[in-house]
Amino acid sequence: MKNPLLLALFLVGTIALPDRRTQELTNDDLTGASQAILSFLDQRLAVVYPVIQRFKSLITLDPYNVTKTWIGSDICSYRGFHCDNPPDNTTAVTVASIDFNGFQLSAPSIEGFIDQFPDLALFHVNSNNFGGTVPSKIVNLRYLYELDISNNRFTGQFPTAVVGMSGLTFLDIRFNSFSGSIPPQILGQNLEVLFINDNGFTASLPEIPGDGTSTTHILFLTFANNKFNGPLPRSILRSMSTLTEVLFLNNDFTGCIPHEIGFLTGASVIDIGGNKLTGPLPLSLMCLEKVEQLNFAGNLLFGAVPEAVCMLLRDNLVNLSLSNNYFTHVGPWCRGLLDRGVLDVSNNCIPFFPGQRSMQECAEFFVKPKKYYCPHMWFHNFFSCRYSHVSSSSASAFMPMVAPSP
């Protein structure tokens, strides 16, 4: 074209024509005299682009230069961002998961970030330095089923926004600075994993709402290393037969171990060490047919170590730790576990056993007021199982008396 004006109009029109397969957004963050036009594969990506750029501007530490990849329109190639087709439109492209695990990024808050990805299914930010509270608007993330914000600097109360999120199956908030109590509804939610250990939670654990007959599907449950107090909730033990691992260790739980612990028939690991529980071990422990690790060390338990428990669990048990209590007797079946290195009864009050407390220390404990005694001692002889996991020869060798049902 010889006419300069027509040539200029043609070039401007060519640049301005959008590709029907892409979406466009002006990149205000680019330096220089001119602004670039960014083309996105999908409008859903164009919407979250400014969200990412705003969050990038808040990051104060990025030791692995992760955010240097957060430039341009190809969001799906940004480190930590993963794209997929959303459930409501299999031809669309969206950010489906965010995985910053181990990036060690520092930012004062994730407010206005996580809650602005409407199609987000997974959010994993383990081992960073994110602070503030968990945004309440995450309740609007209809596809979110995994939330891992562990090992950060989050504060405040338990993030109640997750309560009622029916699709959520994995919740990990451990190693933060959350405090206060936890809502009872979270224990009855359809979670498979609930990790809330290593925070500053206080008060007693709530009972699960309902009539006590409902069951949950939680497989892994950790309350460890908090400041929970009061008794172990019977409803949690009664309704969680699917649990594989449950950790109550290093809190301030008091009272006696409920016989409902025998309902944890699917558990391989039960750890209640480092509390202030007292009384004898309940016979219902013999119902734990899959248990491999049992830890009751560091409590105020006393009495004889139940022979029935040692006998009926001996095939699966790898570790039974009863150290740092006040037990007074070990029978032949339990001595067999001692010989195998399975049972640890060090620092108790068992006569003529090595590594026990002094006579004076034991005497001082047993002359204390009856606050260490259980109000309904016969409950410790109650159990609901019928030895389905025990061979007929083993069952005939020892069959303890069964107390009547309360």
Side-chain angles (χ1 to χ4, degrees), residues 45-177:
L45 298 175
V47 168
V48 300
Y49 173 80
V51 175
I52 298 172
Q53 298 307 317
R54 282 195 299 270
F55 184 66
K56 179 180 177 180
S57 69
L58 296 176
I59 293 176
T60 57
L61 182 65
D62 179 11
Y64 300 116
N65 297 318
V66 172
T67 58
K68 285 188 175 181
T69 69
W70 299 359
I71 58 174
S73 60
D74 189 6
I75 293 176
C76 300
S77 68
Y78 289 7
R79 280 190 66 187
F81 294 88
H82 306 278
C83 297
D84 206 341
N85 308 116
D88 64 341
N89 186 346
T90 56
T91 63
V93 178
T94 189
V95 174
S97 67
I98 295 174
D99 186 353
F100 294 168
N101 282 353
F103 285 177
Q104 298 182 27
L105 300 173
S106 294
S109 174
I110 58 172
E111 186 90 33
F113 179 61
I114 176 179
D115 47 305
Q116 297 301 310
F117 290 83
D119 302 316
L120 197 63
L122 291 88
F123 186 73
H124 290 186
V125 293
N126 179 299
S127 300
N128 286 275
N129 291 290
F130 298 142
T133 59
V134 178
S136 60
K137 291 183 180 179
I138 65 170
V139 70
N140 298 321
L141 303 181
R142 53 181 174 167
Y143 303 129
L144 188 68
Y145 69 91
E146 287 194 10
L147 178 62
D148 180 358
I149 57 173
S150 59
N151 199 19
N152 280 278
R153 296 184 291 106
F154 292 107
T155 59
Q157 301 290 308
F158 184 93
T160 54
V162 302
V163 176
M165 294 181 68
S166 58
L168 194 66
T169 61
F170 182 102
L171 179 60
D172 187 351
I173 63 172
R174 56 187 166 164
F175 295 102
N176 279 286
S177 297

Side-chain angles (χ1 to χ4, degrees), residues 61-345:
L61 182 65
D62 179 11
Y64 300 116
N65 297 318
V66 172
T67 58
K68 285 188 175 181
T69 69
W70 299 359
I71 58 174
S73 60
D74 189 6
I75 293 176
C76 300
S77 68
Y78 289 7
R79 280 190 66 187
F81 294 88
H82 306 278
C83 297
D84 206 341
N85 308 116
D88 64 341
N89 186 346
T90 56
T91 63
V93 178
T94 189
V95 174
S97 67
I98 295 174
D99 186 353
F100 294 168
N101 282 353
F103 285 177
Q104 298 182 27
L105 300 173
S106 294
S109 174
I110 58 172
E111 186 90 33
F113 179 61
I114 176 179
D115 47 305
Q116 297 301 310
F117 290 83
D119 302 316
L120 197 63
L122 291 88
F123 186 73
H124 290 186
V125 293
N126 179 299
S127 300
N128 286 275
N129 291 290
F130 298 142
T133 59
V134 178
S136 60
K137 291 183 180 179
I138 65 170
V139 70
N140 298 321
L141 303 181
R142 53 181 174 167
Y143 303 129
L144 188 68
Y145 69 91
E146 287 194 10
L147 178 62
D148 180 358
I149 57 173
S150 59
N151 199 19
N152 280 278
R153 296 184 291 106
F154 292 107
T155 59
Q157 301 290 308
F158 184 93
T160 54
V162 302
V163 176
M165 294 181 68
S166 58
L168 194 66
T169 61
F170 182 102
L171 179 60
D172 187 351
I173 63 172
R174 56 187 166 164
F175 295 102
N176 279 286
S177 297
F178 292 110
S179 58
S181 59
I182 64 172
Q185 296 87 347
I186 197 67
L187 298 174
Q189 202 158 313
N190 193 31
L191 290 167
E192 294 179 0
V193 174
L194 177 59
F195 294 154
I196 64 174
N197 54 286
D198 293 271
N199 280 281
F201 290 114
T202 55
S204 58
L205 281 178
E207 297 284 354
I208 298 177
D211 57 6
T213 60
S214 60
T215 58
T216 68
H217 301 90
I218 297 180
L219 300 176
F220 300 92
L221 180 64
T222 64
F223 297 113
N225 302 316
N226 280 283
K227 299 175 183 178
F228 290 116
N229 53 54
L232 294 175
R234 297 177 183 272
S235 61
I236 291 180
L237 303 174
R238 187 187 306 116
S239 61
M240 295 191 176
S241 59
T242 58
L243 273 176
T244 299
E245 294 186 11
V246 56
L247 308 180
F248 292 101
L249 75 155
N250 296 335
N251 282 281
D252 290 317
F253 291 115
T254 56
C256 301
I257 300 174
H259 74 84
E260 285 89 348
I261 195 172
F263 286 94
L264 302 179
T265 53
S268 61
V269 177
I270 300 174
D271 194 333
I272 316 181
N275 285 282
K276 298 175 182 177
L277 297 168
T278 190
L281 289 177
L283 278 180
S284 60
L285 290 173
M286 70 177 70
C287 301
L288 305 177
E289 55 189 84
K290 296 182 180 179
V291 72
E292 298 175 3
Q293 306 275 348
L294 265 176
N295 180 26
F296 298 106
N299 280 283
L300 302 170
L301 303 169
F302 58 85
V305 180
E307 276 286 272
V309 172
C310 292
M311 187 196 76
L312 298 180
L313 302 185
R314 69 187 188 278
D315 292 335
N316 289 333
L317 269 180
V318 175
N319 179 45
L320 173 57
S321 182
L322 303 178
S323 62
N324 297 295
N325 282 285
Y326 293 87
F327 290 105
T328 55
H329 179 74
V330 174
W333 285 105
C334 294
R335 287 172 187 259
L337 294 183
L338 274 171
D339 295 338
R340 288 167 46 194
V342 172
L343 176 61
D344 180 5
V345 291

